[in-house]
Structure formats: C-alpha cells, structure tokens
Amino acid sequence: MESNQDQEIEDYWLSIKTTTDYEEVYSDRGTGASMDLSVWKPIPPPGYKNIGYCFTQTRSKPEFGTVVVKELKKGMLCKPYSWTLHWNDKGTRASKDGSIWSPIAPPGYQALGSVAKHIPNSHFASNDDFDSIVCVSEELLYKSELGSFIWKDA
C-alpha cells in the first residue's frame, strides 16, 4: 500500500495527519438504493487512530486525504462507550448484510464521524468491530458546519 500522509499539524495535545490509504469496508451493492455508497476505512500510520470513515458516492478509492489523530497529551482521545445504529440493509436485496453506526462518546468527549461495515443485521456493534475509532476531548473542539449530503436509501 502506498502511503501519503501529506499534511501534519502537531501541538501539545494532539497530532493530526491526513492519509490517502484506504480499505473498502462497506458497499451498498445490491441494496436497490438509487445512489451508490461505498465506505472506506482510512489506514492510519503507526500510532494514529481514526475519528470516522470516508463515505463516497463512487466505487473508486478516494483520492483525497482523511484526518487521523494521535494523542500527545493523555486524556485527549478515548474509546467510545457504545454505538448507535443509523441504518442497516434489512429488507434490501443486498447479498451481504451491512450497517452504518456512530460512536457514542463518554462525557467530556465528542464523536466526530460515522462508520459502516458488512456485519449481520442482528449484530450490535462494539469497539471490537471498530477498534481504530476514537472520540476527541471537547476542550480541543469548536462548533462548525456539516458538509454536504452524501447518500440516501431510496
């Protein structure tokens, strides 16, 4: 795999990089949705963690970077304490079950992204399913606007 960690921001609390290394972890192929969706897990460099996966409207690997983070001061990152299901493909014609989840952060932290995976619809997600995902301390965050619409199941 070719690596391209082309940007890095480092301060006392956190190191932030972008990576263009990805593994496809979910595709809506066969669901009957009117729009394509592929979900790509960023492959972070050693010591870095993901804050979410990359959702695209194409089957091609993303050509842009996704943010990954590394804790420099203890307590700036933590594992989610649970997961919330946003969507699963129950009732579709997909050959493989899959679902979209968001981490639930402990008090004082925020979850910044969502994930997806081909797992049975009866399965409840855990940190074992998404072991590279972390939440970020609220003391490092500020409010911003969400990006544009990506996909709908219709």
Side-chain angles (χ1 to χ4, degrees):
M1 235 181 277
E2 185 180 345
S3 179
N4 179 14
Q5 286 79 34
D6 54 352
Q7 297 178 357
E8 180 176 7
I9 300 170
E10 195 167 301
D11 62 25
Y12 176 72
W13 300 278
L14 205 63
S15 178
I16 301 168
K17 285 188 175 186
T18 58
T19 184
T20 55
D21 291 338
Y22 296 97
E23 169 192 359
E24 187 180 39
V25 292
Y26 176 79
S27 168
D28 73 334
R29 289 174 185 90
T31 64
S34 61
M35 301 173 71
D36 288 342
L37 174 69
S38 291
V39 181
W40 302 84
K41 176 183 177 181
I43 308 300
Y48 283 77
K49 298 289 186 178
N50 290 314
I51 55 175
Y53 290 1
C54 180
F55 289 63
T56 67
Q57 294 176 332
T58 177
R59 303 291 185 221
S60 302
K61 179 179 148 183
E63 295 180 8
F64 51 84
T66 296
V67 170
V68 294
V69 295
K70 178 170 82 172
E71 182 176 67
L72 298 178
K73 180 182 177 195
K74 188 170 175 57
M76 296 296 106
L77 302 175
C78 73
K79 288 293 205 180
Y81 75 82
S82 190
W83 294 86
T84 188
L85 175 66
H86 290 292
W87 176 88
N88 69 29
D89 66 351
K90 185 176 181 178
T92 71
R93 296 179 300 274
S95 60
K96 293 168 74 174
D97 287 347
S99 47
I100 299 173
W101 300 83
S102 284
I104 300 173
Y109 294 84
Q110 289 293 317
L112 301 180
S114 295
V115 297
K117 190 171 186 176
H118 285 289
I119 55 178
N121 288 330
S122 60
H123 179 78
F124 190 82
S126 73
N127 285 343
D128 291 338
D129 295 305
F130 307 108
D131 62 344
S132 70
I133 295 292
V134 293
C135 301
V136 178
S137 173
E138 289 177 345
E139 59 185 287
L140 299 177
L141 303 175
Y142 63 90
K143 216 172 219 181
S144 74
E145 298 297 318
L146 289 176
S148 61
F149 169 80
I150 297 290
W151 181 79
K152 65 180 177 179
D153 178 22

